[in-house]
Amino acid sequence: MAVSNAVGGSGGRGPTTGPWRNWAGNVTARPTRSAAPASTEELAAAIRTAAADGLTVKAVGTGHSFTPVAATDGLLIRPERLTGVRTVDREAGTVTVAAGTPLKHLNATLAAHGLSLTNMGDIMEQTVSGAAATGTHGTGRDSASVAAQITALELVTADGSVLACSADENQEVFTAARLGLGALGVISELTFAVEPEFLLTAREEPMPFDEVTDRFDELVAENEHFEFYWFPHTGSCNTKRNNRSQGPAAPPGKVSGWIEDELLSNGIFQLACTVGRAVPAAIPGIAKISSRALSARTYTDIPYKVFTSPRRVRFLEMEYALPRAAAVAALGELKALVERSDFKVSFPVEVRTAPADDLPLSTASGRDTVYVAVHMYRGTPHQAYFAAAERIMTAHEGRPHWGKLHTCDAAYLADVYPRFGEFTALRDRLDPERRFTNPYLRRVLGD
């Protein structure tokens, strides 16, 4: 969801807050007041008070949504006190965690217990509830998104009631609320399936665009986690294959790891983007130099140290989930678009996969999926490039990532999500007065 730099009280009736902004700086909201509850009881009380005062309610996390999915002019629920791992059940293979806990804290705690999530996205700054609610995902042949790994949750609804939800209790709510956009209520805690910690061997390797796309089905089938980045204005990609390993652990060296993950991926890349923003004509040349600088490397480490990486260069992003069979054609169209246009694109295009899942609003709901993400450096014109890319994606029945820029509305989304009506009917039942709405949800879910 979004970053909290508002100030205000921690109870039900906090003082008026200042403006709130997300991580990328493209979303600003001015809530009437904020609350930072430290318990489910305090959260429920804050929602009841907001309802009595006629305020809408939205919960925010740490700011990594590019859409205003968490923005409100009513009551802003901040995450910083609703944190911590509550229980670790090794026998059941689960961990229960407060909703505002950052993923980086969850991962560190799990590692201390010799446990791990099966799959995760590539950043760890998000809160667990924000990541789940917007459909955060990594890449996986068999393992799915953050939300798909949830086995139980606690939801505070519009009247302040607290629902315990799982496959055995309030099952319909559980099915939808794991990825609920904050539209059904505010989640106070989540239980995730975990497993004994394992090792992953990462193999990173440059590969020509034509070879990656020709071999795409093979590369996905042969690897537990496959992804690649294509550098626009070039025919070059960087591929990454993560597979379970018997070990031993062989993490990147301190110096070589710093060069790859900090100096090149953040420091030099930041400089290149800054130059490109000032002199757009230089971007294709910079892209060719950057792609030629890629080198192969292999390392083995615990999962979160392989799946995740620091992201210090700020950008805007749009991502679409495509039917797997449509992905290679769509990528070819995107490459042709860049080649024939005047767009100057300094950020690589990221391509990942996911298996079908059973969450009504999951971008992988009911179909094997390929994700195609386009980015632009913050402060550079992005609208025309994103709009042209979006036309390609929607022509292939793409589903936009809920936390990333797009222009889709409820009419389009109802056509590409077979269970869309199931979700909106549940929303009508749980929140008939639209306590948890905002302009973004009115656009994507309807009123």
Side-chain angles (χ1 to χ4, degrees):
M1 297 265 217
V3 81
S4 173
N5 48 13
V7 295
S10 61
R13 293 182 185 272
T16 300
T17 65
W20 165 91
R21 294 179 181 85
N22 67 341
W23 176 83
N26 67 308
V27 176
T28 301
R30 290 174 173 81
T32 299
R33 63 174 182 252
S34 68
S39 66
T40 301
E41 293 73 23
E42 289 184 12
L43 173 59
I47 291 173
R48 285 193 294 268
T49 302
D53 293 344
L55 296 178
T56 55
V57 179
K58 296 304 295 180
V60 296
T62 55
H64 285 80
S65 284
F66 301 91
T67 62
V69 61
T72 185
D73 59 4
L75 173 65
L76 182 86
I77 302 291
R78 304 198 320 267
E80 61 262 28
R81 297 175 68 225
L82 196 62
T83 60
V85 174
R86 293 181 170 171
T87 60
V88 176
D89 188 334
R90 299 185 67 88
E91 186 173 338
T94 61
V95 58
T96 300
V97 62
T101 306
L103 283 165
K104 62 184 177 183
H105 294 160
L106 172 61
N107 285 333
T109 301
L110 290 175
H113 284 81
L115 299 169
S116 178
L117 294 170
T118 298
N119 199 356
M120 62 194 77
D122 60 1
I123 62 170
M124 296 194 293
E125 305 305 315
Q126 299 155 294
T127 62
V128 292
S129 58
T134 54
T136 295
H137 61 89
T139 188
R141 181 188 60 204
D142 309 306
S143 52
S145 67
V146 171
Q149 298 172 72
I150 296 169
T151 63
L153 60 89
E154 187 177 76
L155 182 74
V156 182
T157 59
D159 63 359
S161 300
V162 180
L163 296 181
C165 304
S166 68
D168 301 318
E169 187 175 11
N170 294 307
Q171 189 269 337
E172 182 185 11
V173 178
F174 170 70
T175 298
R178 285 179 288 171
L179 200 167
L181 310 182
L184 305 178
V186 179
I187 290 174
S188 52
E189 73 173 30
L190 294 163
T191 300
F192 290 95
V194 294
E195 59 177 302
E197 189 174 73
F198 52 93
L199 292 171
L200 284 172
T201 292
R203 178 182 170 192
E204 299 176 5
E205 180 183 17
M207 190 177 291
F209 179 92
D210 290 342
E211 182 180 354
V212 177
T213 52
D214 287 347
R215 296 178 55 200
F216 183 71
D217 290 338
E218 168 199 338
L219 291 165
V220 171
E222 290 181 352
N223 295 281
E224 292 177 79
H225 310 275
F226 175 72
E227 63 185 306
F228 72 91
Y229 297 84
W230 164 58
F231 292 81
H233 311 292
T234 80
S236 301
C237 299
N238 194 34
T239 63
K240 185 172 181 179
R241 288 168 261 195
N242 298 333
N243 291 286
R244 296 199 183 206
S245 169
Q246 295 301 310
K254 287 186 178 180
V255 174
S256 61
W258 178 84
I259 290 172
E260 288 282 347
D261 297 326
E262 288 293 348
L263 181 62
L264 295 178
S265 297
N266 287 291
I268 299 298
F269 187 50
Q270 173 78 63
L271 178 61
C273 287
T274 303
V275 171
R277 183 171 63 186
V279 188
I283 287 175
I286 292 171
K288 289 179 173 63
I289 293 169
S290 298
S291 66
R292 285 198 294 267
L294 298 173
S295 58
R297 66 170 177 165
T298 301
Y299 57 94
T300 301
D301 213 332
I302 61 176
Y304 84 85
K305 293 184 178 181
V306 173
F307 284 131
T308 68
S309 55
R311 291 283 185 270
R312 310 197 199 287
V313 181
R314 304 218 175 193
F315 54 86
L316 296 176
E317 181 176 0
M318 182 178 74
E319 181 178 69
Y320 267 82
L322 301 176
R324 190 168 292 180
V328 170
L331 284 166
E333 292 168 30
L334 184 63
K335 187 171 185 288
L337 168 71
V338 172
E339 289 171 347
R340 71 172 181 265
S341 72
D342 293 327
F343 300 139
K344 300 296 186 286
V345 184
S346 57
F347 259 78
V349 172
E350 183 179 22
V351 181
R352 295 176 287 176
T353 68
D357 63 41
D358 64 350
L359 285 68
L361 289 190
S362 167
T363 45
S365 182
R367 70 188 191 191
D368 290 342
T369 293
V370 172
Y371 295 100
V372 178
V374 298
H375 314 69
M376 287 292 273
Y377 183 48
R378 187 173 68 174
T380 57
H382 69 276
Q383 292 88 346
Y385 171 48
F386 280 17
E390 187 172 49
R391 287 191 290 271
I392 292 171
M393 302 305 159
T394 54
H396 291 283
E397 299 186 339
R399 298 168 178 169
H401 189 299
W402 298 107
K404 299 179 184 180
L405 295 176
H406 67 92
T407 65
C408 296
D409 59 16
Y412 173 84
L413 295 165
D415 281 342
V416 295
Y417 281 94
R419 300 174 67 184
F420 190 84
E422 176 185 329
F423 184 93
T424 55
L426 180 62
R427 182 189 185 213
D428 288 341
R429 177 161 67 83
L430 290 180
D431 188 19
E433 296 181 357
R434 299 297 187 259
R435 183 68 47 210
F436 303 110
T437 197
N438 64 9
Y440 177 77
L441 293 185
R442 284 194 288 272
R443 172 163 68 90
V444 299
L445 297 179
D447 252 345

